[in-house]
Amino acid sequence: MGSRERELSCIIDMVQVAYPGLPISDQLDLWIAGAFEPPLAFVLIEHVAEKGNTLTSYRVIAKARIALHHPKRIENGTERYDPLSPEPLRQLLASERFSYRGPTDGLFVHIDGATFQVTKEKKDRTDITFEFEYTVPIPREHEPAIIVFELESEV
């Protein structure tokens, strides 16, 4: 599983825990076309940077965007939306100290709490964005261990 798939899997796991039973999509083309029925959580991951961390690992910094599309109902001939609160996700992250390990693939991410933003500009959805980071080991070739030593001495 590639790093992009692992990131997406981890964030989807997080949304599933915060909003059990809510359908989740990561299909950008369907989302842009509006080819879905609310309620729905749409998840998008964007890479921000990769930085050296230690001699054996590097840090990946990414941004998550989650669009919570509210369920709609028709009331007296007009569309009404029942907002989905961002609080379940915020409470999950606070309880985990803004870190989360995805149960599907085991990726451990740290969420930057200062970047956690909720936007309610649209009547039909709530947008949540935040940056997260995780470390990746640098692949190394396996070197055989030296187990036999030859000593030379002049006697």
Side-chain angles (χ1 to χ4, degrees):
M1 187 179 262
S3 64
R4 188 151 181 91
E5 291 84 18
R6 290 183 73 207
E7 293 168 357
L8 189 58
S9 172
C10 183
I11 301 303
I12 287 174
D13 286 345
M14 186 187 310
V15 173
Q16 284 176 335
V17 170
Y19 302 96
L22 182 66
I24 301 170
S25 175
D26 66 337
Q27 301 298 313
L28 183 61
D29 53 344
L30 296 177
W31 185 70
I32 289 174
F36 62 89
E37 273 299 313
L40 174 90
F42 172 74
V43 177
L44 178 68
I45 305 296
E46 299 175 36
H47 280 277
V48 175
E50 291 182 4
K51 297 180 178 181
N53 189 44
T54 66
L55 292 175
T56 59
S57 67
Y58 62 95
R59 281 186 312 147
V60 175
I61 302 168
K63 186 173 193 172
R65 297 177 185 272
I66 302 167
L68 298 174
H69 289 273
H70 309 307
K72 67 179 174 180
R73 58 188 162 83
I74 306 296
E75 188 177 286
N76 298 329
T78 60
E79 285 185 346
R80 301 260 185 221
Y81 293 93
D82 297 324
L84 294 171
S85 172
E87 285 310 304
L89 183 60
R90 189 187 320 264
Q91 288 174 0
L92 172 67
L93 293 177
S95 73
E96 299 289 332
R97 295 186 176 168
F98 282 83
S99 296
Y100 186 79
R101 182 176 303 279
T104 302
D105 61 14
L107 182 65
F108 182 78
V109 298
H110 176 72
I111 290 93
D112 182 355
T115 64
F116 190 90
Q117 294 182 338
V118 176
T119 308
K120 298 179 181 182
E121 293 175 354
K122 309 257 184 191
K123 68 177 182 175
D124 65 334
R125 74 178 195 234
T126 298
D127 294 314
I128 302 170
T129 59
F130 55 86
E131 286 188 4
F132 64 94
E133 64 180 49
Y134 60 95
T135 58
V136 178
I138 296 172
R140 301 183 131 202
E141 290 185 27
H142 178 70
E143 295 290 329
I146 299 173
I147 54 174
V148 176
F149 294 93
E150 293 181 17
L151 301 175
E152 292 181 17
S153 65
E154 293 181 21
V155 180

